Structures are given as structure tokens and as C-alpha cells.
Amino acid sequence: MQKTSYDIVIFLVVVSGLILFLIAFIISILYLYKKKQHSFVQNLEQLKSDHEKAILNTQLEIQEQTFQHISREIHDNISLSLTLAKLQLNTLNWEDKETMQEKVESSVVLLSRSICDLSDISKSLNANIITEHGLLKAIDEEVTQLKQAQLFTVEYTCTGNPVFMEPQTELIIFRIMQESFNNIIKHADAKNVSLQLHYNDVAVTINITDNGIGFDKDMAGKNGAAGLKNIESRTKTVGGKFELKSIPSQGTSITFIIPYSNI
Amino acid sequence: MDFENLFNKFQENYYSEFILLIVEITALILAITYARTYKTGKLFIIYIAFDLSIFLIDLYIMNNSEISIKFTSLFLRTTNTLIALIELLVYYYFFSKVIKSTRLKKVLIIISILYSLIVCSFLFINFISITARLPYIAKVIGALEFCLLLLVCIFYFIWLLQNVSSEPLLNRPSFWIMSGIFFYSIFSIPYYLISNYLFLNRIANQNILVALFYYLPFSINFIFLSKSFLCKKPLTI
């Protein structure tokens, strides 16, 4: 009988020991995990804050470039047209009706062009369209404007199920595209431009291809290529990837892959 | 089936079998309710259902006086070894889904194949020859399964501490599943290795040994599995 009780005590001691060991083990794991989780959350917050700072810097950079663009547009086009109109109106000769009518008509043309230029600048700068209607609507408007300008033909396709991203991210994507189109207008001398958007499960892929004069990527790198570096750094800001292919006298193709979640 | 005999059997084992039965049925219901939409959840449903049906058949056979002891021990050996194989495959599959590493997946596949070969060889020998060592070999195969599972559990806990997420640990189903099997393995390895010796030497209090070292950890494993289903999240998180 004593032996039986002794066996039971041994079993109970062993089982209790094992249970205590396992409880201690689980508590240790929980404690270590909690400790590591705390530093992980802090790192994550730091990353988020860095990312927000980067977005803010990019926005400021974009704003600065936009101001420069407005300044240039006003100086080169609108100011010139208005000065010319003012000059013509100042030098009106009331006695020479025929010349006066010509000058007034010319001034009206110059003023109309200035109004159009102002309207174009206003449309291209307005970011409300992104926040109110999203990236796709803004791209539609941009493509319509490019088609109206008749500098080149524009083919635009959008495939997959569109995903709405943060307005900040969509605005940066839109500005990247505008910068790319500006580069085509200024440097490419293209006849056809194609813009393709493809939404998949994790990212949106944007491809802009032109059949312009192209360029040597190495040479562009040596000369600074600030525009391209801007595009690249903005793409990185939104957690995306940027790929450029260009063959002299054959054209250029730029691809951006922007993930929906950028952290 | 003699229900009075069955009730006496439950009483002899301190109701540990009955507790296991209840816990296993609860785990199955919770798995069907909360985890059926996930691939690993479906696998656990199959595992629990298979285990539960074998357990019920075992209970029926053990409490049926018309069935010979020889057949009963052959059946128990076969089903226990089969359950060990299925358990290992299910947990290894689950583990490969938690830690997405191709190298680790290859190692797990190799171990699974080797263990399956050992089990198949044992089942073959089990049916064609009768030796006194068969029960002992069956227990060693069982212990080997738990050693292999224990290795995976230790690996999981190391991985867990290296891959911290913002998700609280107690809300992660994988933590409960791996803790359950860790608990079960720690108890089962010594039990499987010494139980045969203890039974052969007709040591006193065999029932309490079985209740404490087999049914209790097995029940705790199912309680932890139930908790993981109650997290209502994909089980591999």
C-alpha cells in the first residue's frame, strides 16, 4: 500500500514538474516576445515617420518645381503675350482705323492665348481632381489635354481592377507621369506615345513609351539627368520601382511599379 | 457494447479518456465553425475527425469482450502508428506554411518521407509476423514522432522570437498550435519510451500513469488547438 502511494507521489511530482517547466517556458517566450515586439513597434513607427517625412519632402520638392514651372510659363508665354498686347494697345493710332483694328484684333488673340495658357496651368496644377475623383480621372484629363495639344498621338489603356491608393501617393504618381510627359514634349520629338496602366493584386504598373529620338542612358547619367533622378527618387518615395529603357533614334520606355501598400 | 463496462473503464482511468473525448469533440466543432475556410484548417479538421473516429473505435474494441486480445492489440498498434504518421504530416505541413522557407520545406519533406517509410515497414511487419518486440517498436516509432515534432517546435519558438510582428502573441493561432504540440511532445517522449517496460513489469498505478502522461497532455493539445481556432484568424499567422 505504501509502495502504491509512493508511486503516485512520484508520478504527480514528475507531472507537476513538467507542467511547471512548460508554464515557465511559455511565460519566458511571452516575455521575450513582448520585449522584442516593443522595439519592433518602435522601429515601425520610426519607419512610418521617416516615410511621412520623405513624402513631405517630395511634396515640397514638387511644389518648388511647380512654382518654377509657373514662373517660367508666366515669364516666357503669358507675360510676353500680355506685354505685347499692352504695347499694341498703347501704340494705337486712333486716326488710322485700319491699323488700329489690326492691332486690336492681334491684342485680342494675344489675350485669348494668355487666358488659355493660364487655364492650362491652372488645370495642370489642380490636385483637387486627385482627391475628389482619383488618379484615373486625373490621367484621363491629362491625356485629353495632350491629345488636344496635337504634339503627338496618345494611346491610353488601363487594365485590371483599379485600386484607390492614398491621395498623397496618387498625387506623386500623377506628378511622376506629368514629369515624364514633359520630358517627352521637351526632348523626345515623338510622334506616338503610349500610356499603359495595369492594376494587379499588389501593385499598379505604369508604362510610358514613345517613338522619339531616345538617348544614351550612360550619357544621360554623366550629364546629370536631374529630371530622371527626380522621377526615380519620387518612385522610391512611394515604395515603387523604376525602369528605363532607351535606344537612340528608336524611342524610350519608362516603367513604374508602385505597390498599393508602400511600407 | 457494454456501457457499464465502459463507464467503469472511464472511472479506472480517472475520467481522463472521457475528458479527452469531450475536448476532442469540442475541438472538431470549433475547427468546423471557425477554421474550415482555411486550407490548414481543413487539414486539422481531417486530422481531428480521423483521430476521434479511431479513438471511438478503440473504445468500442477495448470494451467488447467478444473481440480477442490479440486482434485488439494488433488494431491498437496499427491505428496508433497511423495516427502518429498523420499527426507528423499534418503538423509538418502546417509548420512549412508558417515558416515560408524552401530549404526548410525540403528538409521537412525528406523527414516526412523517411518517417512514412519507417511506418509502412512497421505496418508490413506488424501484419506478417508476430514478435514480442512489436509493441516496443510501435512505442519507439511514437517517441520518434514526438522527437521530430519537438525539434520543429523549438525551431518555431526561435523563429518566433526572430520574426516579431505587431500582432499580440496570444492572438496568433500558430503560437497556440505549436505550444500545444510542444506540451504534448514533452510529456509523450518519456511516456512512450518507458510505458512498455512499466506495463510489462506490471507496475502499480498504471492507470494514473496513462491518465497523467498520455490523456492529460493529449487533451491539453486539443484545448490549445481549440484556442487557436477561437482566434478566428488564418491558422498560419
Side-chain angles (χ1 to χ4, degrees):
Chain A
M1 188 65 191
Q2 255 184 344
K3 173 90 169 99
T4 308
S5 311
Y6 182 68
D7 286 344
I8 291 173
V9 169
I10 287 179
F11 289 152
L12 288 175
V13 165
V14 172
V15 169
S16 309
L18 273 175
I19 290 175
L20 281 174
F21 162 74
L22 288 167
I23 290 170
F25 181 81
I26 300 290
I27 289 171
S28 313
I29 293 280
L30 280 170
Y31 173 74
L32 288 171
Y33 187 86
K34 193 104 185 160
K35 212 172 154 185
K36 289 213 167 192
Q37 196 181 36
H38 184 70
S39 64
F40 171 79
V41 170
Q42 272 183 337
N43 280 345
L44 199 69
E45 273 167 11
Q46 183 65 44
L47 265 175
K48 269 185 187 169
S49 138
D50 288 350
H51 180 71
E52 274 164 16
K53 272 184 199 164
I55 292 253
L56 197 70
N57 279 341
T58 308
Q59 280 176 333
L60 286 171
E61 199 183 290
I62 289 171
Q63 206 174 40
E64 187 57 38
Q65 281 186 355
T66 310
F67 288 151
Q68 281 176 11
H69 172 69
I70 298 168
S71 157
R72 210 167 39 238
E73 283 290 312
I74 291 172
H75 180 266
D76 296 352
N77 298 322
I78 301 163
S79 172
L80 200 69
S81 299
L82 290 175
T83 311
L84 215 60
K86 185 193 163 193
L87 200 72
Q88 284 187 350
L89 291 173
N90 268 344
T91 55
L92 280 181
N93 184 354
W94 295 91
E95 284 163 9
D96 187 354
K97 298 266 180 196
E98 205 176 310
T99 319
M100 189 179 77
Q101 197 178 346
E102 269 178 28
K103 282 187 174 177
V104 169
E105 277 170 9
S106 168
S107 300
V108 169
V109 170
L110 286 169
L111 287 171
S112 304
R113 199 195 296 163
S114 302
I115 291 166
C116 278
D117 286 347
L118 274 172
S119 166
D120 284 350
I121 291 173
S122 163
K123 273 184 191 168
S124 70
L125 295 177
N126 192 5
N128 285 351
I129 192 167
I130 300 263
T131 45
E132 284 168 17
H133 304 285
L135 180 66
L136 288 181
K137 181 72 183 162
I139 292 173
D140 276 342
E141 295 272 323
E142 187 73 13
V143 167
T144 309
Q145 276 190 40
L146 285 169
K147 280 179 179 169
Q148 278 171 355
Q150 293 186 329
L151 297 164
F152 38 72
T153 59
V154 184
E155 263 180 61
Y156 168 47
T157 52
C158 177
T159 52
N161 294 322
V163 172
F164 291 96
M165 290 171 270
E166 291 278 313
Q168 285 177 332
T169 310
E170 291 204 333
L171 182 62
I172 290 173
I173 295 173
F174 185 61
R175 295 294 184 222
I176 291 171
M177 289 170 68
Q178 277 187 321
E179 177 95 35
S180 308
F181 283 124
N182 273 340
N183 285 343
I184 294 172
I185 293 167
K186 280 184 199 166
H187 313 292
D189 193 20
K191 295 278 176 286
N192 304 309
V193 173
S194 91
L195 165 64
Q196 291 170 322
L197 256 86
H198 176 69
Y199 286 90
N200 63 23
D201 292 341
V202 288
V204 57
T205 305
I206 302 159
N207 176 265
I208 301 171
T209 306
D210 70 67
N211 67 342
I213 55 169
F215 60 93
D216 188 337
K217 273 202 286 183
D218 298 331
M219 291 301 286
K222 280 172 194 164
N223 294 337
L228 286 173
K229 278 183 181 164
N230 267 342
I231 292 175
E232 195 170 359
S233 73
R234 282 177 199 173
T235 312
K236 277 182 185 165
T237 310
V238 286
K241 282 180 191 166
F242 164 75
E243 196 184 283
L244 175 83
K245 284 177 192 164
S246 187
I247 302 168
S249 72
Q250 284 190 30
T252 305
S253 168
I254 297 178
T255 307
F256 316 100
I257 301 168
I258 318 274
Y260 304 134
S261 143
N262 44 34
I263 281 195
Chain B
M1 192 167 172
D2 188 353
F3 281 99
E4 202 183 324
N5 191 23
L6 181 67
F7 183 76
N8 288 337
K9 180 98 182 15
F10 281 159
Q11 205 172 22
E12 267 175 33
N13 284 335
Y14 305 90
Y15 297 101
S16 54
E17 281 171 310
F18 182 69
I19 292 168
L20 176 64
L21 187 65
I22 299 296
V23 164
E24 215 168 331
I25 291 169
T26 311
L28 184 62
I29 293 167
L30 289 173
I32 292 168
T33 314
Y34 297 116
R36 68 173 186 275
T37 46
Y38 313 117
K39 205 174 172 185
T40 42
K42 280 175 193 155
L43 212 63
F44 274 109
I45 292 172
I46 293 168
Y47 160 63
I48 300 168
F50 180 74
D51 201 82
L52 182 64
S53 20
I54 295 290
F55 182 50
L56 291 172
I57 298 169
D58 282 357
L59 278 180
Y60 174 77
I61 288 177
M62 281 191 287
N63 293 289
N64 196 326
S65 49
E66 286 171 23
I67 298 170
S68 68
I69 296 170
K70 195 180 148 191
F71 176 79
T72 306
S73 50
L74 176 76
F75 184 81
L76 288 178
R77 267 201 312 274
T78 309
T79 52
N80 283 344
T81 316
L82 267 178
I83 286 173
L85 176 64
I86 287 166
E87 208 164 55
L88 183 97
L89 296 179
V90 167
Y91 278 98
Y92 269 28
Y93 176 79
F94 170 75
F95 186 67
S96 70
K97 291 286 160 190
V98 174
I99 299 170
K100 293 173 184 80
S101 151
T102 32
R103 195 195 277 179
L104 183 83
K105 205 172 175 178
K106 278 178 192 167
V107 173
L108 293 179
I109 289 171
I110 291 167
I111 295 174
S112 304
I113 291 169
L114 289 176
Y115 190 78
S116 305
L117 285 175
I118 292 170
V119 168
C120 290
S121 316
F122 171 77
L123 291 177
F124 182 68
I125 296 163
N126 189 32
F127 282 110
I128 59 155
S129 77
I130 302 158
T131 68
R133 298 192 74 80
L134 279 177
Y136 180 70
I137 296 168
K139 296 280 182 195
V140 170
I141 289 173
L144 178 67
E145 181 225 342
F146 289 110
C147 287
L148 295 172
L149 285 175
L150 197 65
L151 279 178
V152 160
C153 291
I154 291 165
F155 198 91
Y156 170 79
F157 288 121
I158 295 168
W159 172 85
L160 189 73
L161 293 175
Q162 284 170 351
N163 296 275
V164 178
S165 79
S166 53
E167 188 77 38
L169 191 54
L170 298 180
N171 290 351
R172 292 177 69 166
S174 67
F175 171 72
W176 289 105
I177 293 173
M178 295 313 281
S179 299
I181 197 70
F182 178 68
F183 198 90
Y184 184 31
S185 304
I186 287 265
F187 271 82
S188 298
I189 294 167
Y191 168 75
Y192 271 75
L193 290 176
I194 62 161
S195 61
N196 234 45
Y197 167 80
L198 297 175
F199 292 142
L200 284 174
N201 289 294
R202 300 195 182 282
I203 191 172
N205 305 308
Q206 283 182 7
N207 293 337
I208 199 163
L209 174 82
V210 174
L212 289 175
F213 281 88
Y214 182 72
Y215 290 115
L216 173 77
F218 204 14
S219 303
I220 289 174
N221 182 34
F222 281 112
I223 290 170
F224 277 39
L225 264 181
S226 303
K227 173 62 191 137
S228 76
F229 301 140
L230 285 171
C231 289
K232 297 172 192 173
K233 282 179 188 157
L235 301 178
T236 47
I237 286 176

